[in-house]
Amino acid sequence: MELQSAVIVTLIGTVAGLLSGLLGLGGAIIIIPSLVILLGYSQQMAQGTALMMMVLPVGALAAFQYYQKGLVDIKAAIIMAAFFFIGGYFGAKFTTQISADVLKKAFALMLVVIAVKMWFFDKQ
């Protein structure tokens, strides 16, 4: 890996880590678009890289901080983790079969839909 790419990856990881601890986001919203836009990764390569990064306990310290304050539903987290594991397998299997262009547009659309829902329709 070139020095410039290593610096960019380091910055992406730092920003994603800070935002993950602060707002609970990082993998999809920060890392994947950053890898595509800043380093020219294909959508599949960005998603695969982000998922590989998350195999390690990258969120353990942040999650522990929330747990210490009583802000973690352990039962829900375990159930989601189990089904995330299964769903991730099938999602990755499907993703590798479709074009990067279609995947990138679907990803962007999902981010817009979520943003609009949270901005205009969240009643909390």
Side-chain angles (χ1 to χ4, degrees):
M1 176 179 285
E2 297 174 12
L3 179 60
Q4 181 179 1
S5 294
V7 169
I8 292 171
V9 168
T10 300
L11 290 172
I12 292 170
T14 301
V15 170
L18 288 171
L19 291 174
S20 177
L22 182 66
L23 300 173
L25 54 88
I29 296 174
I30 302 301
I31 295 167
I32 294 170
S34 295
L35 291 173
V36 170
I37 294 165
L38 299 176
L39 294 174
Y41 281 32
S42 70
Q43 187 71 24
Q44 286 99 332
M45 177 67 80
Q47 289 179 196
T49 301
L51 287 168
M52 182 60 77
M53 177 208 73
M54 289 184 259
V55 167
L56 301 172
V58 296
L61 292 176
F64 185 67
Q65 291 297 314
Y66 284 96
Y67 175 78
Q68 284 184 312
K69 302 291 184 187
L71 298 170
V72 175
D73 182 337
I74 295 291
K75 188 174 184 179
I78 290 170
I79 292 168
M80 284 189 294
F83 285 92
F84 183 83
F85 182 76
I86 295 164
Y89 171 79
F90 289 106
K93 195 171 181 72
F94 177 68
T95 295
T96 60
Q97 305 300 313
I98 61 177
S99 77
D101 188 53
V102 169
L103 186 61
K104 188 186 298 185
K105 289 176 181 167
F107 180 84
L109 179 62
M110 180 62 83
L111 291 177
V112 169
V113 168
I114 291 168
V116 168
K117 160 91 172 79
M118 290 181 74
W119 189 268
F120 293 108
F121 300 106
D122 195 11
K123 302 288 188 218
Q124 291 185 358

